[in-house]
Amino acid sequence: CSCLDLGCGNSNLLFDMRADGFLGNLVGVDYSQTVISYMNNKNGFENIRYEVLDVTNGFPYKDASYDVCIDKSTMDTILHNTTEGEQKVAKMISEISRILRYNGFYLLLTQMDFEKEADYEFFVNVVLSTLQSSSELAHWKLTVHSSAEYPLHVYVFEKLKCHEMSRRSGEKSPVVILKSLNYD
């Protein structure tokens, strides 16, 4: 199992995952050379590496090379700090779709909330639309975890292989909102 932490910063997430028994390859990426140097110097684990990467400019990884991609508010940062935020997020989402294996997961931790109309429209028009258009042979299952007490929402996308009948019928790759779990 392999995991890519997008916009890792100086977070200990990958160290904690390894300490908790995650055995696969763990990769953290960030656009800051300073942060990546710091994390590489701090890293004492095998199969954890840190690389400089601007996630808005494409990924150097092969198709279907990761089982899990984690975005801990990197999308939020891109949207708030760039004038071309929506286009850059769409590029990042398209690349996540490309490098994620079937039955893999994209975990998005964000302050975006389906209950807010502007957030909902962005989510449907950019995130879900990009996932649909970037993988014709995939269906996406979405589970939403949220709490009124904590402003961060967790969207878990699972990339599933499209059934042969769906492909023959020309059915578009739907994103199915499976369930919403509220922890209040």
Side-chain angles (χ1 to χ4, degrees), residues 76-144:
D76 295 355
T77 302
I78 293 166
L79 285 171
H80 291 94
N81 292 332
T82 65
T83 54
E84 305 88 24
E86 288 189 12
Q87 296 88 348
K88 289 184 176 201
V89 165
K91 173 70 173 170
M92 181 181 77
I93 298 293
S94 178
E95 286 292 281
I96 290 168
S97 175
R98 182 184 64 77
I99 67 167
L100 198 61
R101 292 184 179 115
Y102 288 112
N103 301 316
F105 295 92
Y106 167 40
L107 308 176
L108 172 62
L109 288 75
T110 179
Q111 293 184 1
M112 290 198 163
D113 183 357
F114 274 151
E115 300 296 321
K116 297 177 183 171
E117 186 174 340
D119 288 351
Y120 178 82
E121 287 179 19
F122 168 81
F123 207 76
V124 168
N125 294 331
V126 177
V127 177
L128 301 181
S129 173
T130 301
L131 285 173
Q132 286 178 314
S133 64
S134 63
S135 23
E136 291 180 15
L137 301 179
H139 286 296
W140 292 89
K141 181 170 78 173
L142 171 60
T143 306
V144 181

Side-chain angles (χ1 to χ4, degrees), residues 14-175:
L14 300 182
F15 300 148
D16 293 343
M17 288 174 67
R18 177 68 74 230
D20 287 342
F22 189 95
L23 299 176
N25 290 322
L26 298 168
V27 178
V29 297
D30 199 283
Y31 72 95
S32 170
Q33 176 64 56
T34 302
V35 167
I36 294 303
S37 294
Y38 172 78
M39 295 307 289
N40 278 320
N41 289 334
K42 186 177 173 182
N43 182 10
F45 292 97
E46 290 186 29
N47 294 330
I48 297 180
R49 71 180 192 276
Y50 290 91
E51 302 173 351
V52 175
L53 177 67
D54 179 349
V55 297
T56 66
N57 289 328
F59 300 173
Y61 309 115
K62 294 179 183 178
D63 293 357
S65 55
Y66 283 93
D67 298 293
V68 179
C69 292
I70 301 173
D71 173 352
K72 304 177 315 295
S73 296
T74 299
M75 182 179 73
D76 295 355
T77 302
I78 293 166
L79 285 171
H80 291 94
N81 292 332
T82 65
T83 54
E84 305 88 24
E86 288 189 12
Q87 296 88 348
K88 289 184 176 201
V89 165
K91 173 70 173 170
M92 181 181 77
I93 298 293
S94 178
E95 286 292 281
I96 290 168
S97 175
R98 182 184 64 77
I99 67 167
L100 198 61
R101 292 184 179 115
Y102 288 112
N103 301 316
F105 295 92
Y106 167 40
L107 308 176
L108 172 62
L109 288 75
T110 179
Q111 293 184 1
M112 290 198 163
D113 183 357
F114 274 151
E115 300 296 321
K116 297 177 183 171
E117 186 174 340
D119 288 351
Y120 178 82
E121 287 179 19
F122 168 81
F123 207 76
V124 168
N125 294 331
V126 177
V127 177
L128 301 181
S129 173
T130 301
L131 285 173
Q132 286 178 314
S133 64
S134 63
S135 23
E136 291 180 15
L137 301 179
H139 286 296
W140 292 89
K141 181 170 78 173
L142 171 60
T143 306
V144 181
H145 303 262
S146 62
S147 168
E149 294 179 26
Y150 192 66
L152 208 57
H153 305 278
V154 180
Y155 298 91
V156 180
F157 297 89
E158 183 177 7
K159 184 177 181 179
L160 302 170
K161 194 160 192 169
C162 186
H163 294 289
E164 183 66 30
M165 289 297 284
S166 297
R167 286 196 306 251
R168 279 189 273 160
S169 70
E171 181 181 312
K172 286 284 186 190
S173 154
V175 176

